[in-house]
Amino acid sequence: DYSKVYVANTDNGTISVMGADGVLLSKIDVGIAPTRIARSGDFIVVTLRGERAVSLFKETETGLVPAGFIEVGPEPFGVVGTEDGDFAYVAVSQGDEVVEIDMAQMRVSRRFTVGDQPAFVGLHPSGKALYVGSLMNGTLSYIDLRGDGQIQALPLPEIIRFKDRRGDEHFFEQIGLEGPVKMRNRITGDLSVSPDGTSIAVPVLVLDNTTPVDNPVGHFGEGGGGYAVRNGGMGRF
């Protein structure tokens, strides 16, 4: 009913339960490094990155009570659950997997291989599609939850920039480097699917991790140790 907010306190190993008005209602010890929280039906699912597991809680009239503990693999990160409470999906970042948890059976029912340290998950409102963002290489994946769970890579938009806004020729003459730079994508946060299921928001940092800081004779290619903007340069990020 949108009356409460659940907050993961990663360093303290607790979750806080707050009213929608911001009043702290309770604080509960849950384990090592709680990272993300999701609701699935009557359950609250908490990923414990330091315990290779998720903890399950149920909301009662007196507050949250423990309801289960399920091992999923090394360093679980993001989690999302279906509205009907049938399934939860957890990104196991160091296992390069996403696991499906059957909430009724309190067990892992399926595993999907997703590379580059999957961490962020978003579920389509239909419950038939899962989107996964990985920490490395800007990897965005789509898992068809119907049938045998086909996995497809989704390309992110590419940004191309010149190393200097004065143009490629100027930059080559100054430090001996030529050509535009293909910027690299890094997914940095949780994915969000619109309520009507027509679009998905993916937080991304775009960066240049290929241009050398110095040229062969020691002149700076870009200022600030290669990370800031100087003399009209475009910067790294």
Side-chain angles (χ1 to χ4, degrees):
D1 60 2
Y2 306 105
S3 65
K4 293 179 181 177
V5 178
Y6 303 93
V7 184
N9 311 312
T10 301
D11 293 337
N12 293 328
T14 61
I15 59 174
S16 296
V17 183
M18 305 173 66
D21 55 4
V23 175
L24 179 64
L25 302 177
S26 63
K27 187 179 290 186
I28 304 167
D29 291 322
V30 294
I32 302 173
T35 303
R36 293 290 190 273
I37 302 173
R39 175 179 287 281
S40 182
D42 296 329
F43 290 97
I44 299 297
V45 186
V46 184
T47 57
L48 301 177
R49 204 164 77 247
E51 299 201 30
R52 303 171 61 96
V54 298
S55 270
L56 276 56
F57 296 85
K58 263 197 170 182
E59 186 73 75
T60 69
E61 292 183 359
T62 58
L64 289 180
V65 296
F69 184 87
I70 303 171
E71 292 192 3
V72 293
E75 298 198 22
F77 203 109
V79 59
V80 68
T82 59
E83 293 281 351
D84 57 16
D86 288 345
F87 297 101
Y89 299 92
V90 180
V92 183
S93 62
Q94 292 300 310
D96 280 348
E97 286 185 322
V98 173
V99 301
E100 177 187 78
I101 296 175
D102 184 322
M103 300 297 289
Q105 299 294 323
M106 292 275 187
R107 65 178 181 85
V108 174
S109 50
R110 288 192 291 180
R111 294 181 179 269
F112 308 98
T113 299
V114 178
D116 294 328
Q117 298 183 21
F120 312 111
V121 287
L123 185 65
H124 192 273
S126 68
K128 298 176 181 178
L130 186 72
Y131 305 95
V132 186
S134 296
L135 292 169
M136 298 177 61
N137 298 319
T139 299
L140 180 64
S141 305
Y142 159 77
I143 302 176
D144 186 344
L145 297 174
R146 299 164 295 186
D148 57 358
Q150 292 293 314
I151 302 172
Q152 176 183 346
L154 299 178
L156 289 171
E158 292 184 350
I159 294 178
I160 303 295
R161 67 129 177 151
F162 283 94
K163 301 181 181 74
D164 191 287
R165 67 166 59 101
R166 286 165 290 188
D168 185 36
E169 182 178 349
H170 168 83
F171 200 81
F172 178 72
E173 291 175 353
Q174 293 295 312
I175 66 171
L177 296 173
E178 61 181 328
V181 176
K182 180 180 178 181
M183 303 292 276
R184 303 294 181 179
N185 292 305
R186 294 291 183 270
I187 300 174
T188 57
D190 294 301
L191 315 181
S192 183
V193 184
S194 62
D196 63 5
T198 60
S199 57
I200 178 171
V202 183
V204 172
L205 174 69
V206 184
L207 68 152
D208 170 10
N209 62 357
T210 58
T211 303
V213 174
D214 298 335
N215 75 348
V217 295
H219 296 298
F220 277 111
E222 299 192 40
Y227 293 96
V229 177
R230 186 184 72 168
N231 298 331
M234 297 293 285
R236 292 269 176 172
F237 299 99

